[in-house]
Amino acid sequence: MLSWSTTLALLMLSTSGATGSDTPEPRVGGKWLPCGRTAALRGDLSPGLAGSHPRELVDGLRGRMFFTADDGEHGRELWASTGPGGVGTHLVKDILPGAESSGARELVQMGGTTYFVANDGEHGAELWKSDGTDVGTVLVKDVWPGQAGAGPQELLVVNGVLYFTADDGVHGRELWRSDGTEAGTALLHELVPGPGDAGIHQLTSWSRQLVFVSNDAQGRPTLWKSTGLVNGLTPLFSSTLETAFSTLTPVNNRLFYLHHLGRGATDLYVTDTKTWRSTALRRFTGTPPHDLTAMGGGLYFGAGAGGFDTDSLGDELWKSDGTAQGTQLVADIALGPAGSSPSSLVVAGERLYFSADDQTRGRELWTSDGTAVGTTLVVDLRPGAEGGEPRGLVALQNHLFFSARVSGLGHQAWTSDGTAENTWPLDAVAIHLQDAEPRLFARSSWDVFFIANDGVHGHELWSLPFRPQESCTP
């Protein structure tokens, strides 16, 4: 790999695309490419080193990226950016006027409208929506009338309906649904009658239905599915253990999840839309399964294992086809019990990409097609035992964006098409900083946005043109 000084000299010669993000929504087929290697600051929202600390980047369609930020004047509120074109980066609405924050959070997009939670000082924390304009940013419903606020959580869109948990002051925290109107926002299921908390969490979209975990009326942790109708609630599996379920992961017509048994033991379970039966696939007594990711009809994850059918293994890459026999180790990347600790698993095209440490080259970028021979190092980002430490991998149009170390500069933004020759860092955002901390890569229209700290403006919003190959300007 080229030295950073050589790479930086080459990158200084590159240029970015010329068209702005106010263009119509682009087609999604064909090959996409970063247009140049220089990201641009999309606004110094809070001048100085403090930064506005943007969070929760959500593509609002029509070339707008919604996020929350605190500019030091309005508190944390809803903002939007159109990248280098259009109206730029701007405050959408000061929901709680003045320096106090409305606490805007939990952004999701449904039908061209962005939904979120905010507190305007009059209604408490409630459900809001925005079309990107001040006048079009309004309260959906005052679920708990008055200043107490229902505190909506776990916002999730399933089959064109918004689901969330909320406490209306009468039924406790239960499951609600909304079509975006006040009349269409109502309590869906009361799992624990009365003012108590049902402990609803892990709302997940699976096979056009909602699945989630909560306590039943007897206090048992239970996995549920809901059709979205009042009488459409069905329990799938209940546990007598308090630790219960986590990490619900849909893979086509199967739903994988973890059943935590305590004392270092975790079972991988699966259920399917044909039988609706829950089946234990394998017990892991080492590192519990993590980073569960769907690819090609199978489940991939990191885990540590030991037992009668395997030698003691560290945290390595596993896969499952939904059967006990098909739940198996993919590759022992770091031979022996040390473990390569695969993390940040993402799928681009027909391959899996992840960060792993083979205990020789440090933590680097790896890829797998699901076989041992097809699990290989993509590139040694930072030669030597310390490694490039890639993290925060995001796949956008079969292209990878992530954060990794560059010699002498700490973490910077990188991009890759999955080949060694086309894996490279963007121009350094923070030349004089140890770490620019790039994160939260997300695409809106013809731009990839992310958060970074250049050492001058603090943590702010940046973007890089990213377009269909024929639309990049030479």
Side-chain angles (χ1 to χ4, degrees):
M1 183 177 179
L2 296 176
S3 67
W4 174 246
S5 59
T6 303
T7 301
L8 183 59
L10 290 173
L11 300 186
M12 292 295 287
L13 298 176
S14 63
T15 58
S16 61
T19 57
S21 290
D22 55 346
T23 56
E25 277 296 298
R27 60 176 178 78
V28 295
K31 185 175 182 179
W32 284 56
L33 295 173
C35 300
R37 304 187 182 187
T38 304
L41 180 67
R42 291 274 64 91
D44 187 9
L45 307 186
S46 181
L49 287 172
S52 65
H53 292 271
R55 300 175 188 163
E56 301 192 56
L57 275 61
V58 171
D59 182 10
L61 305 182
R62 294 186 293 276
R64 293 175 302 181
M65 179 64 74
F66 287 90
F67 60 99
T68 72
D70 183 350
D71 65 357
E73 180 180 350
H74 301 92
R76 182 160 296 277
E77 299 288 355
L78 183 67
W79 288 71
S81 179
T82 56
V87 297
T89 302
H90 61 283
L91 176 67
V92 175
K93 187 183 185 76
D94 189 8
I95 294 172
L96 182 55
E100 193 173 353
S101 172
S102 73
R105 60 188 183 276
E106 301 237 15
L107 277 61
V108 296
Q109 202 279 335
M110 181 175 76
T113 298
T114 298
Y115 292 81
F116 60 101
V117 179
N119 182 353
D120 64 359
E122 180 180 350
H123 302 93
E126 295 286 0
L127 181 65
W128 285 67
K129 65 180 179 180
S130 178
D131 63 1
T133 68
D134 183 295
V135 68
T137 302
V138 297
L139 177 71
V140 175
K141 182 170 184 170
D142 190 8
V143 172
W144 186 337
Q147 294 185 347
Q153 298 174 3
E154 301 249 356
L155 275 64
L156 177 72
V157 176
V158 181
N159 198 25
V161 177
L162 177 64
Y163 296 90
F164 58 96
T165 71
D167 184 350
D168 64 358
V170 176
H171 302 92
R173 181 162 295 278
E174 296 288 355
L175 186 64
W176 287 64
R177 60 168 284 163
S178 177
D179 63 2
T181 68
E182 181 177 12
T185 302
L187 177 68
L188 177 59
H189 300 306
E190 185 176 13
L191 288 102
V192 177
D197 188 343
I200 301 170
H201 61 293
Q202 295 186 68
L203 272 64
T204 304
S205 175
W206 175 45
S207 193
R208 299 174 66 84
Q209 297 186 75
L210 174 70
V211 288
F212 61 94
V213 177
S214 81
N215 296 327
D216 63 10
Q218 287 73 45
R220 297 175 301 182
T222 303
L223 175 65
W224 305 83
K225 77 176 181 73
S226 173
T227 62
L229 302 176
V230 173
N231 62 351
L233 183 65
T234 303
L236 296 179
F237 187 44
S238 291
S239 174
T240 58
L241 302 175
E242 294 181 359
T243 46
F245 312 109
S246 73
T247 325
L248 277 57
T249 308
V251 182
N252 296 337
N253 70 330
R254 296 186 179 95
L255 178 72
F256 293 86
Y257 54 95
L258 305 181
H259 186 207
H260 300 279
L261 307 174
R263 297 186 178 181
T266 302
D267 284 346
L268 176 66
Y269 266 77
V270 68
T271 187
D272 62 71
T273 55
K274 293 181 180 179
T275 66
W276 297 110
R277 290 196 299 264
S278 294
T279 304
L281 299 176
R282 184 184 176 93
R283 179 162 297 174
F284 291 86
T285 55
T287 304
H290 58 89
D291 290 85
L292 277 62
T293 304
M295 183 179 76
L299 178 75
Y300 290 78
F301 56 97
F308 69 92
D309 59 345
T310 65
D311 295 329
S312 180
L313 292 170
D315 187 359
E316 294 291 357
L317 183 65
W318 287 70
K319 66 179 179 181
S320 178
D321 63 1
T323 68
Q325 297 80 5
T327 302
Q328 55 191 260
L329 179 72
V330 174
D332 190 7
I333 295 172
L335 298 177
S340 65
S341 301
S343 62
S344 198
L345 278 62
V346 298
V347 176
E350 297 180 351
R351 295 192 67 88
L352 181 74
Y353 294 88
F354 56 98
S355 172
D357 183 351
D358 65 1
Q359 303 297 320
T360 300
R361 288 166 287 204
R363 182 161 293 276
E364 294 290 357
L365 182 63
W366 286 71
T367 184
S368 179
D369 63 0
T371 67
V373 69
T375 301
T376 59
L377 180 73
V378 175
V379 63
D380 196 355
L381 302 173
R382 188 186 184 204
E386 294 183 352
E389 298 182 13
R391 61 193 184 196
L393 274 67
V394 174
L396 301 171
Q397 299 305 125
N398 294 338
H399 217 90
L400 299 175
F401 292 86
F402 57 98
S403 166
R405 288 189 177 276
V406 173
S407 296
L409 289 178
H411 275 80
Q412 302 290 334
W414 286 67
T415 182
S416 174
D417 68 355
T419 66
E421 58 269 25
N422 288 323
T423 301
W424 32 260
L426 304 186
D427 288 344
V429 166
I431 294 178
H432 301 297
L433 264 190
Q434 179 63 24
D435 202 326
E437 301 178 37
R439 60 186 184 274
L440 300 181
F441 296 91
R443 181 182 76 87
S444 179
S445 190
W446 281 5
D447 297 276
V448 170
F449 293 81
F450 62 97
I451 313 303
N453 183 357
D454 65 356
V456 177
H457 305 92
H459 290 88
E460 294 289 0
L461 186 68
W462 293 70
S463 76
L464 177 77
F466 180 60
R467 297 164 191 181
Q469 185 173 12
E470 66 274 15
S471 300
C472 276
T473 302

